[in-house]
Amino acid sequence: YIGGDYARGDERLGALYVAAREIAKRHSCLVYGVSQASAEAEGIRNISFDMLAGSKTSKAAEADIVIGIGKAQSVDESDPLRYLCVSKNKIIKGK
């Protein structure tokens, strides 16, 4: 539960991401979130964090790594080929 008064939904979502990051730090564990891409990512292979739906700024700011799953525009919609794109990675080895 994220309490408080927020003028917009993206501010509330940003607070949720900050809280999740604090839980991960406090307990030295993995906390992950899943988000869909915005409509601009339709049919694009290389999905980057600036194509996230909703709060693009808060999600990207709090994430240690962002992995997009893209799909090329294809005539055959049953084509299972997907592309993994790391658009942000601030994970430090050894920590």
Side-chain angles (χ1 to χ4, degrees), residues 25-95:
K25 284 194 264 184
R26 190 169 40 250
H27 298 287
S28 296
C29 68
L30 171 71
V31 174
Y32 69 94
V34 177
S35 176
Q36 73 181 47
S38 62
E40 69 181 301
E42 179 73 27
I44 303 229
R45 281 187 196 182
N46 299 319
I47 307 283
S48 62
F49 67 83
D50 62 334
M51 295 177 180
L52 289 170
S55 178
K56 299 176 185 186
T57 306
S58 296
K59 290 177 186 179
E62 295 304 322
D64 287 328
I65 188 168
V66 177
I67 301 170
I69 303 173
K71 177 182 182 287
Q73 195 73 304
S74 175
V75 176
D76 182 9
E77 287 299 316
S78 64
D79 182 4
L81 184 62
R82 300 294 183 268
Y83 301 87
L84 296 179
C85 308
V86 178
S87 61
K88 180 178 182 182
N89 183 2
K90 65 178 184 180
I91 297 174
I92 300 169
K93 264 188 156 178
K95 289 199 172 194

